[in-house]
Amino acid sequence: MLDKKHIKAISKIVSTENIYHDRAHMIAYSYDATRTRYEPDAVVFPRDEKDVSEVLKYCNKHKISIVPRGAGSGFTGGALPKNGGIVLAFEKHMNKILEIDMENMVAVVQPGVINMNLQKAVEEVGLFYPPDPASEHYSTIGGNVSENAGGMRAAKYGITKDFVMALRAVLPNGDIIKSGKKTIKDVAGYNTTGILVGSEGTLAVITEITLKLLSKPKLDKTAMGIFPTVQDAMNAVFKTMASGVTPVAMEFLDNLTIRAVEEKFNKGLPKDAGAILITDVDGDLEVQIDTQLETIEKVFKENGCTEFKKANDKEEAKELWFARKNASQSITIYGSKKLNEDITVPRSMLPELLRRIDEVSKKYDVKVPCFGHTGDGNVHTNVMVDGSDPKQLEIGHKAIEEIFKITVELGGTLSGEHGIGLAKAPFMHLAFSEAEMELFRSIKKAFDPNNILNPGKMGL
Amino acid sequence: MLDKKHIKAISKIVSTENIYHDRAHMIAYSYDATRTRYEPDAVVFPRDEKDVSEVLKYCNKHKISIVPRGAGSGFTGGALPKNGGIVLAFEKHMNKILEIDMENMVAVVQPGVINMNLQKAVEEVGLFYPPDPASEHYSTIGGNVSENAGGMRAAKYGITKDFVMALRAVLPNGDIIKSGKKTIKDVAGYNTTGILVGSEGTLAVITEITLKLLSKPKLDKTAMGIFPTVQDAMNAVFKTMASGVTPVAMEFLDNLTIRAVEEKFNKGLPKDAGAILITDVDGDLEVQIDTQLETIEKVFKENGCTEFKKANDKEEAKELWFARKNASQSITIYGSKKLNEDITVPRSMLPELLRRIDEVSKKYDVKVPCFGHTGDGNVHTNVMVDGSDPKQLEIGHKAIEEIFKITVELGGTLSGEHGIGLAKAPFMHLAFSEAEMELFRSIKKAFDPNNILNPGKMGL
């Protein structure tokens, strides 16, 4: 519990209406998308960077934990105050798009800006911010940067880190730092931007983000391929990517996922198919799009694709995307509890990964529907169990651990886009040596010697 | 001076033929492209990562400085052993391309691989490694990563950091760490790859580099635009970049540079022109190239371009590039000593930057020919003085300092691609606050508590 004198002192900094410490609000800010709960002692809404700086300075002095929070939409508990303390929330004040600089093609935003609001604002002026996590309608840029969020378009455009040019941030001691510039090139001083992106709020509190924008491609088209086996589809994925075409998205659904969507929505999907691939291509010229789709069709068919459908308009494209967009909610037919992970392997390892997940599924007698962003090797793996049965849960967790081991063995990562947070912290030893963990702890200490920032996350 | 017992101990690790400590070799390894000289006490050629680890462990124990060195082609003294100690050179053994993985489109290389050798090897199999520093024929990938090297193609493809997917490195205590993966997405643990790139050999010794490759575009074309004033050209640059076209390169020469090349080579260049822009576009389809060049021609002409030439073949393209490729050696007609800097500003600030450099040139009565990679705001600024005249040198350095101040004021960086090293260390205070410098020192200490790795660089 936070002492009343601390509440009073912090109220004085941010003004009384910008701090909550009543029980109802503490419950409201106790969860994220993991559905685990940890109540904070107070929720603080800084009005500006100066507030952030003063709150941090105070908390650092009194060793009070601070947990920065965007929309609380994370899948790994990154924004949960495991040890209580203060949740720092940006939704109330620090939620503005400060600048869309058309001449340099960059946007400057505060951490609380919702991803889709930024996408819309820049598209209105012909520009483009590609990172599009599934949570784009509610997750914030601050959260996206802290977890290095990915999305559907990563295969072509990369992920959040590829768009962060500069940051302003506050260190635990209250010092305000700037890193990076509105320039592509900058080799002066350490690349602190590079280490802050994906650091899950454990090193500094990000207060301003400068993002690279692109020109919005004028055209895009969608196609779908149906494959007899998931192996065929995975071969088609990495061979397409290696063919010289760079699709914007290359998403897949396995047979279990296809059947779940079909059961729920009756869309006439091929229930016997081993897998479906859905792909988007873009460009400024019709011929560019057509050439890309021709290559994709050719590679797909060389790899067993039995049916290749091209969308003729936006409406048809939406239909082709329907199954993918509704995959996550549909697979709940297989169990009340979904243990979902976002493992990622080098693309060429996808066929082997899917084969071995199938083995794990059989060994533990659990259903493991898979779908996701295969264009970048990112597979959403869902171990489905009965959440009310502790034995089933235990089996599920064992299956997950085995899948993590396989992923690491195939040169992959525990997390492609969700981060480590609390949920994956127990598995860090599978991916990192003691020397690597020790280095992480040294880096943490260099930024946050008193360990007040999001303590207990990332296994640190 | 390094004690004989240390030489003996290190000889035992790497074997006698892989350590030099005679005077002649010490002189040979005492310089880089800055032409400043600092002799090491020994030069060590590790055979593999294990050698690196054992040498570092030994040196850490005995607090002996280690300076990693690629080709010694750096412009800021990054590879110079200012405090003596050991130069660790990779050219003899750790210079191999270990893998070109066509399925995942990545290359795995040792630090001593020469940039151009990698470019050629991947292009032979239809792939593409874009970063092309002017030193590409001799500089090494290890050096490129350590200085986060740029190049001509950065405007479209980005710089070295955008291609480094994973690293293996040895910490000063001898611990071997891996960071990153052969995957686009990876959010597990701190992004140590991000902070090691551009860290100028001060944090760890990089022993293996995994690089992202692209498909080699099938076609490219070159064009040139002639402008009455440098301001017109700078306006044309940033307006082209904002028009939706992304040229591979957008290079410029100012009037002084044009006249120097013309004086030296008699190529019929327009000696009265304020500036020349040279641009490359690429793509897989003829129509893509043509559409891009049409847009560029339009924007150029709207911004005062008096003549626009398109190359019809490789030979003509080479002719158009001639002036740019020979700019650096030609401007020596203005003075025996070239104080060259690689300042970078947001593109929209280019017209203002060039205007103010002109003011500085007049104020100090020195010639400051400028050329460079304007597509990404990177201007090679050359203050030309008589190197044998101490007074001229002093004036030159004052002019440089003033140009740095202007650059920072315009939101730019001291270094776009050369790094800080020794040469720019005195100017770090212009760009960074005491809090930022203190953070850099903390990061340095987290990796290298005994300060044995490349001490004295980056103003740390």
mmCIF file of all heavy atoms in Angstrom, chain B residues 14-38:
data_model
loop_
_atom_site.group_PDB
_atom_site.id
_atom_site.type_symbol
_atom_site.label_atom_id
_atom_site.label_comp_id
_atom_site.label_asym_id
_atom_site.label_seq_id
_atom_site.Cartn_x
_atom_site.Cartn_y
_atom_site.Cartn_z
ATOM 1 N N VAL B 14 46.548 -16.811 -29.156
ATOM 2 C CA VAL B 14 46.236 -16.736 -30.602
ATOM 3 C C VAL B 14 47.307 -17.407 -31.469
ATOM 4 O O VAL B 14 47.126 -17.505 -32.683
ATOM 5 C CB VAL B 14 46.058 -15.273 -31.074
ATOM 6 C CG1 VAL B 14 44.883 -14.620 -30.380
ATOM 7 C CG2 VAL B 14 47.334 -14.457 -30.875
ATOM 8 N N SER B 15 48.394 -17.835 -30.864
ATOM 9 C CA SER B 15 49.560 -18.434 -31.522
ATOM 10 C C SER B 15 50.434 -17.302 -32.082
ATOM 11 O O SER B 15 49.941 -16.284 -32.573
ATOM 12 C CB SER B 15 49.138 -19.466 -32.582
ATOM 13 O OG SER B 15 49.922 -19.373 -33.727
ATOM 14 N N THR B 16 51.740 -17.522 -32.006
ATOM 15 C CA THR B 16 52.723 -16.444 -32.224
ATOM 16 C C THR B 16 52.572 -15.712 -33.552
ATOM 17 O O THR B 16 52.789 -14.502 -33.642
ATOM 18 C CB THR B 16 54.158 -17.009 -32.145
ATOM 19 O OG1 THR B 16 54.149 -18.073 -31.207
ATOM 20 C CG2 THR B 16 55.157 -15.945 -31.731
ATOM 21 N N GLU B 17 52.174 -16.448 -34.601
ATOM 22 C CA GLU B 17 52.106 -15.783 -35.910
ATOM 23 C C GLU B 17 50.925 -14.819 -36.014
ATOM 24 O O GLU B 17 50.828 -14.070 -36.989
ATOM 25 C CB GLU B 17 52.076 -16.814 -37.058
ATOM 26 C CG GLU B 17 50.794 -17.631 -37.175
ATOM 27 C CD GLU B 17 50.834 -18.930 -36.374
ATOM 28 O OE1 GLU B 17 51.599 -18.982 -35.376
ATOM 29 O OE2 GLU B 17 50.103 -19.865 -36.720
ATOM 30 N N ASN B 18 50.049 -14.826 -35.023
ATOM 31 C CA ASN B 18 48.884 -13.940 -35.086
ATOM 32 C C ASN B 18 48.976 -12.740 -34.154
ATOM 33 O O ASN B 18 47.968 -12.125 -33.812
ATOM 34 C CB ASN B 18 47.610 -14.745 -34.809
ATOM 35 C CG ASN B 18 47.343 -15.728 -35.916
ATOM 36 O OD1 ASN B 18 47.455 -15.372 -37.097
ATOM 37 N ND2 ASN B 18 47.024 -16.972 -35.564
ATOM 38 N N ILE B 19 50.182 -12.411 -33.768
ATOM 39 C CA ILE B 19 50.386 -11.177 -33.010
ATOM 40 C C ILE B 19 51.635 -10.471 -33.539
ATOM 41 O O ILE B 19 52.667 -11.098 -33.770
ATOM 42 C CB ILE B 19 50.474 -11.453 -31.479
ATOM 43 C CG1 ILE B 19 50.680 -10.158 -30.695
ATOM 44 C CG2 ILE B 19 51.562 -12.470 -31.153
ATOM 45 C CD1 ILE B 19 50.433 -10.316 -29.195
ATOM 46 N N TYR B 20 51.498 -9.186 -33.816
ATOM 47 C CA TYR B 20 52.640 -8.359 -34.209
ATOM 48 C C TYR B 20 52.929 -7.395 -33.073
ATOM 49 O O TYR B 20 51.995 -6.852 -32.475
ATOM 50 C CB TYR B 20 52.317 -7.505 -35.439
ATOM 51 C CG TYR B 20 52.064 -8.251 -36.715
ATOM 52 C CD1 TYR B 20 51.337 -7.618 -37.746
ATOM 53 C CD2 TYR B 20 52.548 -9.536 -36.947
ATOM 54 C CE1 TYR B 20 51.099 -8.258 -38.944
ATOM 55 C CE2 TYR B 20 52.314 -10.184 -38.152
ATOM 56 C CZ TYR B 20 51.586 -9.559 -39.146
ATOM 57 O OH TYR B 20 51.358 -10.184 -40.331
ATOM 58 N N HIS B 21 54.222 -7.158 -32.821
ATOM 59 C CA HIS B 21 54.529 -6.092 -31.868
ATOM 60 C C HIS B 21 55.818 -5.372 -32.242
ATOM 61 O O HIS B 21 56.408 -4.666 -31.435
ATOM 62 C CB HIS B 21 54.554 -6.612 -30.427
ATOM 63 C CG HIS B 21 55.368 -7.848 -30.240
ATOM 64 N ND1 HIS B 21 56.662 -7.830 -29.867
ATOM 65 C CD2 HIS B 21 55.033 -9.160 -30.407
ATOM 66 C CE1 HIS B 21 57.117 -9.078 -29.800
ATOM 67 N NE2 HIS B 21 56.143 -9.912 -30.131
ATOM 68 N N ASP B 22 56.236 -5.550 -33.475
ATOM 69 C CA ASP B 22 57.430 -4.841 -33.953
ATOM 70 C C ASP B 22 57.047 -3.433 -34.405
ATOM 71 O O ASP B 22 55.895 -3.178 -34.789
ATOM 72 C CB ASP B 22 58.047 -5.599 -35.121
ATOM 73 C CG ASP B 22 57.063 -5.737 -36.258
ATOM 74 O OD1 ASP B 22 56.026 -6.427 -36.064
ATOM 75 O OD2 ASP B 22 57.266 -5.126 -37.322
ATOM 76 N N ARG B 23 57.990 -2.527 -34.402
ATOM 77 C CA ARG B 23 57.738 -1.121 -34.679
ATOM 78 C C ARG B 23 57.085 -0.894 -36.051
ATOM 79 O O ARG B 23 56.118 -0.143 -36.180
ATOM 80 C CB ARG B 23 59.070 -0.343 -34.596
ATOM 81 C CG ARG B 23 58.908 1.162 -34.649
ATOM 82 C CD ARG B 23 58.236 1.720 -33.385
ATOM 83 N NE ARG B 23 57.511 2.943 -33.653
ATOM 84 C CZ ARG B 23 58.069 4.131 -33.905
ATOM 85 N NH1 ARG B 23 59.372 4.263 -33.862
ATOM 86 N NH2 ARG B 23 57.307 5.190 -34.163
ATOM 87 N N ALA B 24 57.610 -1.564 -37.085
ATOM 88 C CA ALA B 24 57.105 -1.332 -38.444
ATOM 89 C C ALA B 24 55.602 -1.601 -38.519
ATOM 90 O O ALA B 24 54.830 -0.804 -39.063
ATOM 91 C CB ALA B 24 57.851 -2.220 -39.435
ATOM 92 N N HIS B 25 55.203 -2.728 -37.930
ATOM 93 C CA HIS B 25 53.770 -3.045 -37.949
ATOM 94 C C HIS B 25 52.965 -2.069 -37.098
ATOM 95 O O HIS B 25 51.838 -1.735 -37.442
ATOM 96 C CB HIS B 25 53.540 -4.483 -37.494
ATOM 97 C CG HIS B 25 53.707 -5.471 -38.594
ATOM 98 N ND1 HIS B 25 54.763 -6.352 -38.667
ATOM 99 C CD2 HIS B 25 52.954 -5.699 -39.707
ATOM 100 C CE1 HIS B 25 54.644 -7.083 -39.754
ATOM 101 N NE2 HIS B 25 53.561 -6.708 -40.413
ATOM 102 N N MET B 26 53.567 -1.636 -35.995
ATOM 103 C CA MET B 26 52.832 -0.696 -35.140
ATOM 104 C C MET B 26 52.555 0.603 -35.910
ATOM 105 O O MET B 26 51.484 1.196 -35.787
ATOM 106 C CB MET B 26 53.598 -0.395 -33.839
ATOM 107 C CG MET B 26 53.753 -1.602 -32.902
ATOM 108 S SD MET B 26 52.258 -2.601 -32.646
ATOM 109 C CE MET B 26 52.490 -3.945 -33.824
ATOM 110 N N ILE B 27 53.519 1.018 -36.730
ATOM 111 C CA ILE B 27 53.300 2.220 -37.556
ATOM 112 C C ILE B 27 52.207 1.946 -38.584
ATOM 113 O O ILE B 27 51.297 2.750 -38.782
ATOM 114 C CB ILE B 27 54.620 2.647 -38.235
ATOM 115 C CG1 ILE B 27 55.607 3.129 -37.160
ATOM 116 C CG2 ILE B 27 54.359 3.758 -39.270
ATOM 117 C CD1 ILE B 27 57.004 3.419 -37.664
ATOM 118 N N ALA B 28 52.272 0.772 -39.180
ATOM 119 C CA ALA B 28 51.280 0.426 -40.209
ATOM 120 C C ALA B 28 49.848 0.446 -39.663
ATOM 121 O O ALA B 28 48.903 0.773 -40.366
ATOM 122 C CB ALA B 28 51.595 -0.952 -40.791
ATOM 123 N N TYR B 29 49.714 0.104 -38.394
ATOM 124 C CA TYR B 29 48.367 0.071 -37.807
ATOM 125 C C TYR B 29 48.071 1.300 -36.944
ATOM 126 O O TYR B 29 47.192 1.269 -36.102
ATOM 127 C CB TYR B 29 48.185 -1.221 -36.992
ATOM 128 C CG TYR B 29 47.938 -2.416 -37.882
ATOM 129 C CD1 TYR B 29 48.991 -3.152 -38.416
ATOM 130 C CD2 TYR B 29 46.630 -2.767 -38.233
ATOM 131 C CE1 TYR B 29 48.766 -4.227 -39.257
ATOM 132 C CE2 TYR B 29 46.392 -3.838 -39.077
ATOM 133 C CZ TYR B 29 47.462 -4.563 -39.587
ATOM 134 O OH TYR B 29 47.216 -5.616 -40.419
ATOM 135 N N SER B 30 48.817 2.372 -37.179
ATOM 136 C CA SER B 30 48.658 3.542 -36.307
ATOM 137 C C SER B 30 47.704 4.590 -36.879
ATOM 138 O O SER B 30 47.419 5.568 -36.232
ATOM 139 C CB SER B 30 50.018 4.201 -36.077
ATOM 140 O OG SER B 30 50.461 4.806 -37.284
ATOM 141 N N TYR B 31 47.209 4.391 -38.086
ATOM 142 C CA TYR B 31 46.417 5.461 -38.697
ATOM 143 C C TYR B 31 45.098 4.949 -39.289
ATOM 144 O O TYR B 31 44.881 3.750 -39.421
ATOM 145 C CB TYR B 31 47.237 6.129 -39.813
ATOM 146 C CG TYR B 31 47.524 5.160 -40.921
ATOM 147 C CD1 TYR B 31 46.630 5.039 -41.986
ATOM 148 C CD2 TYR B 31 48.647 4.336 -40.888
ATOM 149 C CE1 TYR B 31 46.859 4.110 -42.977
ATOM 150 C CE2 TYR B 31 48.872 3.413 -41.877
ATOM 151 C CZ TYR B 31 47.979 3.302 -42.924
ATOM 152 O OH TYR B 31 48.188 2.376 -43.898
ATOM 153 N N ASP B 32 44.237 5.904 -39.611
ATOM 154 C CA ASP B 32 43.049 5.597 -40.411
ATOM 155 C C ASP B 32 42.856 6.747 -41.391
ATOM 156 O O ASP B 32 43.806 7.500 -41.645
ATOM 157 C CB ASP B 32 41.826 5.361 -39.518
ATOM 158 C CG ASP B 32 41.323 6.633 -38.862
ATOM 159 O OD1 ASP B 32 41.971 7.690 -39.018
ATOM 160 O OD2 ASP B 32 40.281 6.577 -38.192
ATOM 161 N N ALA B 33 41.651 6.911 -41.931
ATOM 162 C CA ALA B 33 41.454 7.931 -42.964
ATOM 163 C C ALA B 33 41.544 9.364 -42.428
ATOM 164 O O ALA B 33 41.587 10.317 -43.202
ATOM 165 C CB ALA B 33 40.126 7.712 -43.685
ATOM 166 N N THR B 34 41.582 9.533 -41.107
ATOM 167 C CA THR B 34 41.763 10.886 -40.551
ATOM 168 C C THR B 34 43.212 11.343 -40.659
ATOM 169 O O THR B 34 43.513 12.508 -40.483
ATOM 170 C CB THR B 34 41.413 10.945 -39.035
ATOM 171 O OG1 THR B 34 42.207 9.974 -38.356
ATOM 172 C CG2 THR B 34 39.954 10.664 -38.785
ATOM 173 N N ARG B 35 44.116 10.408 -40.895
ATOM 174 C CA ARG B 35 45.568 10.658 -40.970
ATOM 175 C C ARG B 35 46.178 11.097 -39.643
ATOM 176 O O ARG B 35 47.282 11.615 -39.604
ATOM 177 C CB ARG B 35 45.900 11.666 -42.066
ATOM 178 C CG ARG B 35 45.436 11.120 -43.406
ATOM 179 C CD ARG B 35 45.929 11.935 -44.541
ATOM 180 N NE ARG B 35 45.214 11.528 -45.748
ATOM 181 C CZ ARG B 35 45.320 12.135 -46.904
ATOM 182 N NH1 ARG B 35 46.115 13.179 -47.036
ATOM 183 N NH2 ARG B 35 44.650 11.703 -47.946
ATOM 184 N N THR B 36 45.438 10.913 -38.574
ATOM 185 C CA THR B 36 46.009 11.101 -37.241
ATOM 186 C C THR B 36 46.718 9.784 -36.903
ATOM 187 O O THR B 36 46.336 8.747 -37.418
ATOM 188 C CB THR B 36 44.881 11.332 -36.211
ATOM 189 O OG1 THR B 36 43.884 12.106 -36.836
ATOM 190 C CG2 THR B 36 45.396 12.010 -34.966
ATOM 191 N N ARG B 37 47.745 9.827 -36.038
ATOM 192 C CA ARG B 37 48.461 8.580 -35.747
ATOM 193 C C ARG B 37 48.545 8.302 -34.264
ATOM 194 O O ARG B 37 48.881 9.168 -33.464
ATOM 195 C CB ARG B 37 49.896 8.663 -36.281
ATOM 196 C CG ARG B 37 49.943 8.590 -37.767
ATOM 197 C CD ARG B 37 51.374 8.573 -38.282
ATOM 198 N NE ARG B 37 51.323 8.145 -39.661
ATOM 199 C CZ ARG B 37 52.133 7.238 -40.187
ATOM 200 N NH1 ARG B 37 53.060 6.674 -39.442
ATOM 201 N NH2 ARG B 37 52.013 6.908 -41.441
ATOM 202 N N TYR B 38 48.220 7.075 -33.901
ATOM 203 C CA TYR B 38 48.435 6.577 -32.541
ATOM 204 C C TYR B 38 48.912 5.146 -32.676
ATOM 205 O O TYR B 38 48.193 4.309 -33.221
ATOM 206 C CB TYR B 38 47.129 6.608 -31.731
ATOM 207 C CG TYR B 38 46.605 7.995 -31.442
ATOM 208 C CD1 TYR B 38 45.570 8.531 -32.199
ATOM 209 C CD2 TYR B 38 47.133 8.745 -30.393
ATOM 210 C CE1 TYR B 38 45.083 9.809 -31.935
ATOM 211 C CE2 TYR B 38 46.648 10.019 -30.123
ATOM 212 C CZ TYR B 38 45.618 10.542 -30.898
ATOM 213 O OH TYR B 38 45.141 11.794 -30.635
#
